[in-house]
Amino acid sequence: MNIMIVGSGAREHAIAAALQRSFTKPHIFCCGSSVNPGIRQMTHDYWTGDITNVAMIVQAATDWQIDLVIIGPEAPLEKGLADALWNVNIPVIGPKKNMAQIETSKAFARDLMRRYHIPGLPRYQMFHDMQGVRDFLEELGEGNYVVKANGLMGGKGVKVAGDHLQSFVEAMDFGSEILGRGQTFVIEEKLIGQEFSFMCFCDGEHVVPMPVVQDHKRAFVDDKGPNTGGMGSYSDASHSLPFLTEQDLNDAYRINESVIRALTKEFNDRYIGILYGSFIATRHGVYVIEFNARFGDPEALNVLTILDSDFAAICQALIAGNLSSGQVKFLHQATVCKYAVPNGYPDAPVKDVAIDISAVKNKSHLYLSSVHAVDGKIYAAGSRTAAYVGVADSISVAEEISEKEICAVKGPLFHREDIGTERLIRRRVDAMRGLRGQ
Ligand code: AMP
Ligand code: GLY
């Protein structure tokens, strides 16, 4: 079987590695934006260019006689790559454009939840202009709002009161700025609690959960500094997280399931791919921050590293519409993923600097990301560079492994030493206990 991966970051490296472990030994192909040597060494052929150029990607898939495509990032989903591939009878893991709106339009996602009475919806209002903005901010109250651009803005479209916005005036200025870029925006109630990522495989009918993961968006130790694509993440051997209750997990799963049902009804079509609910556990239960129509990055690295089932077989079942939970097994091990990123990331990263991975001991858990390879040398391109996933019986041992190995990636890079440490996890658990009044 010929399988093509779209995207060339660490998430796609983890997808390629999972496929390579398959008993069916698929031939792997990649369309990426740069040459990721980790993916390159696993592929039969590798195309580089603009991965949102739908016509070119469809051409590559046709030329390579691809049997199945896995789309990694959201941008090609938004451009309708899945639709175009299905139109030439190539099956795709990744929803069509209309269904991908669950990620690409915050207003669509919130309205869908409202219309289908899906729980976990914060108070929100959509704005096409500045009319009524001040009134809604006042209704939510000082320090209690979040302003979000409606469309994809590469992680820069959300500002939170108290963190990035210090007054109604600043909130209104950000709203105007979004309108100035030709977008609309949503204002919603600020939720207080612990965030977690809950990804499910969806074949159009069956919704099969993966282990829950916690990502770390802030650039620096102790959750300081600007937001990033995600500096690292962990999961527990139980497949839950130390601050979550059984009820939280069940509620989040039900929300994901309800969203799939709603999308199916709305578009009379199958949602095939991954639904990734980004949730927050609060004192009043589980709420939805947003949905993504793809694997999380770094979350995919945590879960795919411990996937014990055959990933190519899971993909085939997703297409066939007969996925069962028995077919999706993960090891009962904890994982800690740490990203090394260029100095100055995310605001002013150094670029095109050489890195050296030769000192990393177990390279099978090292995933390369925003890099390109030239003449056997690897250069960091400016975004997140490389991630290491430690796997062990406990989070703290997984953390030690991950910390040691990510330090072995040499270059002008930094990472968060605190991700997965006992101190940080205890803080999360205590904060949640405090909120629940325990
Ligand atoms: P997003 O791009 O939607 O994932 O938002 C980026 C970050 O903003 C999230 O990871 C949250 O930390 C924060 N955020 C988004 N919406 C809310 C909300 N309603 N309440 C509190 N924080 C939020
Ligand atoms: N971990 C954040 C994301 O994939 O969007």
Side-chain angles (χ1 to χ4, degrees):
M1 186 163 59
N2 290 345
I3 302 187
M4 181 172 107
I5 300 169
V6 179
S8 52
R11 167 181 47 208
E12 291 75 26
H13 189 175
I15 290 171
L19 287 174
Q20 220 193 17
R21 298 198 304 267
S22 166
F23 290 116
T24 60
K25 298 280 164 241
H27 293 163
I28 306 171
F29 297 76
C30 178
C31 286
S33 44
S34 65
V35 179
N36 179 329
I39 302 176
R40 183 75 190 91
Q41 65 177 7
M42 298 181 192
T43 48
H44 261 55
D45 211 341
Y46 196 112
W47 173 94
T48 52
D50 174 6
I51 59 166
T52 64
N53 187 327
V54 170
M56 301 269 267
I57 307 281
V58 172
Q59 189 62 53
T62 311
D63 291 347
W64 287 335
Q65 301 188 329
I66 294 298
D67 300 299
L68 178 98
V69 175
I70 304 173
I71 301 177
E74 62 277 22
L77 295 173
E78 188 183 37
K79 286 275 158 61
L81 179 58
D83 311 55
L85 287 163
W86 280 108
N87 283 344
V88 294
N89 296 318
I90 300 176
V92 189
I93 308 297
K96 292 181 192 158
K97 183 179 171 158
N98 54 10
M99 290 192 157
Q101 287 180 93
I102 197 66
E103 166 162 10
T104 60
S105 166
K106 308 240 185 230
F108 171 85
R110 291 304 192 206
D111 285 348
L112 189 86
M113 288 182 74
R114 176 149 71 185
R115 279 190 289 117
Y116 286 84
H117 308 291
I118 298 173
L121 184 62
R123 280 194 287 163
Y124 78 101
Q125 211 165 298
M126 258 189 66
F127 294 95
H128 299 275
D129 53 40
M130 293 306 288
Q131 205 174 343
V133 170
R134 176 127 207 157
D135 288 349
F136 191 59
L137 288 169
E138 278 172 5
E139 189 185 317
L140 292 176
E142 199 71 66
N144 192 34
Y145 50 83
V146 179
V147 182
K148 297 184 172 187
N150 189 19
L152 297 178
M153 277 200 14
K156 297 201 163 55
V158 177
K159 290 198 177 179
V160 180
D163 279 353
H164 319 99
L165 302 170
Q166 307 307 336
S167 65
F168 291 158
V169 171
E170 284 184 21
M172 293 198 295
D173 285 348
F174 184 50
S176 305
E177 188 188 320
I178 295 169
L179 293 175
R181 290 191 208 165
Q183 288 213 25
T184 55
F185 64 93
V186 176
I187 298 180
E188 62 189 35
E189 167 190 4
K190 176 177 170 180
L191 302 161
I192 313 277
Q194 283 299 316
E195 291 180 48
F196 60 99
S197 306
F198 195 166
M199 302 182 287
C200 292
F201 288 110
C202 312
D203 67 1
E205 188 183 344
H206 309 100
V207 180
V208 178
M210 304 183 215
V212 174
V213 180
Q214 188 173 43
D215 185 16
H216 297 70
K217 285 254 160 77
R218 298 300 199 94
F220 308 135
V221 164
D222 285 338
D223 297 321
K224 302 254 166 45
N227 271 331
T228 69
M231 293 295 290
S233 45
Y234 64 90
S235 69
D236 206 352
S238 64
H239 298 168
S240 181
L241 290 168
F243 53 82
L244 290 179
T245 64
E246 190 80 26
Q247 174 88 42
D248 294 331
L249 269 191
N250 287 338
D251 290 350
Y253 175 75
R254 294 275 165 244
I255 291 172
N256 274 349
E257 203 182 34
S258 306
V259 164
I260 292 296
R261 302 273 170 268
L263 284 170
T264 308
K265 204 155 175 215
E266 194 73 8
F267 296 111
N268 194 25
D269 201 356
R270 292 166 62 202
Y271 184 105
I272 301 173
I274 285 85
L275 179 70
Y276 154 10
S278 171
F279 296 100
I280 184 164
T282 76
R283 99 173 47 225
H284 304 296
V286 168
Y287 283 81
V288 174
I289 297 279
E290 64 168 357
F291 292 105
N292 296 307
R294 52 170 175 82
F295 277 117
D297 187 350
E299 292 91 331
L301 284 54
N302 299 82
V303 300
L304 290 175
T305 303
I306 55 163
L307 179 65
D308 201 24
S309 303
D310 190 310
F311 186 49
I314 292 176
C315 292
Q316 283 176 305
L318 285 172
I319 300 298
N322 59 9
L323 187 71
S324 67
S325 49
Q327 237 177 314
V328 184
K329 294 286 175 225
F330 294 89
L331 299 175
H332 282 278
Q333 298 247 276
T335 66
V336 173
C337 172
K338 298 198 190 206
Y339 253 116
V341 303
N343 287 340
Y345 175 82
D347 296 331
V350 293
K351 286 184 183 157
D352 298 320
V353 289
I355 65 157
D356 179 2
I357 59 169
S358 58
V360 174
K361 282 210 183 78
N362 175 6
K363 293 201 181 53
S364 65
H365 291 180
L366 177 73
Y367 301 105
L368 297 173
S369 189
S370 169
V371 296
H372 60 267
V374 186
D375 299 334
K377 274 202 155 160
I378 306 175
Y379 296 86
S383 196
R384 293 176 294 177
T385 309
Y388 195 90
V389 180
V391 178
D393 289 337
S394 67
I395 297 174
S396 55
V397 176
E399 190 278 329
E400 282 168 24
I401 297 168
S402 161
E403 179 63 27
K404 207 169 178 183
E405 293 278 45
I406 204 68
C407 285
V409 178
K410 301 296 179 199
L413 308 169
F414 75 96
H415 68 276
R416 272 184 62 168
E417 295 89 355
D418 60 338
I419 293 171
T421 57
E422 263 178 48
R423 190 180 70 90
L424 195 67
I425 303 233
R426 201 174 321 117
R427 227 175 56 205
R428 306 258 192 258
V429 171
D430 289 348
M432 205 61 231
R433 282 214 182 106
L435 279 178
R436 295 191 211 267
Q438 292 167 339

